[in-house]
Amino acid sequence: MFKVILAVALAAVAVNAAPSAADFAGDATWYTPNGGLGACGAPSQNSDLVVALSADQYAGGSNCWRHIGIHYQGRFVDATVVDLCPGCASGSIDLSPGAFQQLASLDAGRIQVTWDYE
């Protein structure tokens, strides 16, 4: 009985110590949707505030249309998930020019961001 209680207590401590599954950090780059269909099935324009997620976060489309909040050097943009970024590492994202420019100049090309699902 004592072993079971101890195991449950240790498992609870491990769960509480784990970082939030909704917080991510990675590279943000930009791409040009040019009105094409994203993996979520709808067209997007370069001026739209949209994002493509890595395969891990795209999760077979289960995160389509969700909003994510992206932070970079005191700046913030809310973007809608519309596409898959097959070349992105887990935690990294690909933004439309409209979304990227809310955070940095397109000339930056690649920036380190944090983000979470809203």
Side-chain angles (χ1 to χ4, degrees):
M1 176 83 163
F2 176 75
K3 287 182 183 179
V4 171
I5 293 171
L6 181 59
V8 169
L10 289 174
V13 168
V15 167
N16 289 333
S20 171
D23 295 335
F24 300 92
D27 290 341
T29 52
W30 60 274
Y31 74 110
T32 51
N34 289 328
L37 290 181
C40 294
S44 297
Q45 302 301 322
N46 296 344
S47 59
D48 295 341
L49 301 180
V50 295
V51 61
L53 300 181
S54 71
D56 287 346
Q57 280 76 51
Y58 183 74
S62 65
N63 286 313
C64 283
W65 316 118
R66 286 188 73 180
H67 286 249
I68 68 170
I70 308 154
H71 302 269
Y72 174 70
Q73 295 185 351
R75 295 183 177 180
F76 174 83
V77 65
D78 176 293
T80 304
V81 176
V82 298
D83 210 347
L84 167 67
C85 177
C88 290
S90 183
S92 291
I93 56 177
D94 212 3
L95 298 167
S96 65
F100 194 94
Q101 288 176 307
Q102 298 293 311
L103 303 172
S105 165
L106 295 180
D107 292 338
R110 180 180 303 271
I111 56 176
Q112 296 292 306
V113 298
T114 58
W115 63 273
D116 55 30
Y117 294 105
E118 297 188 316

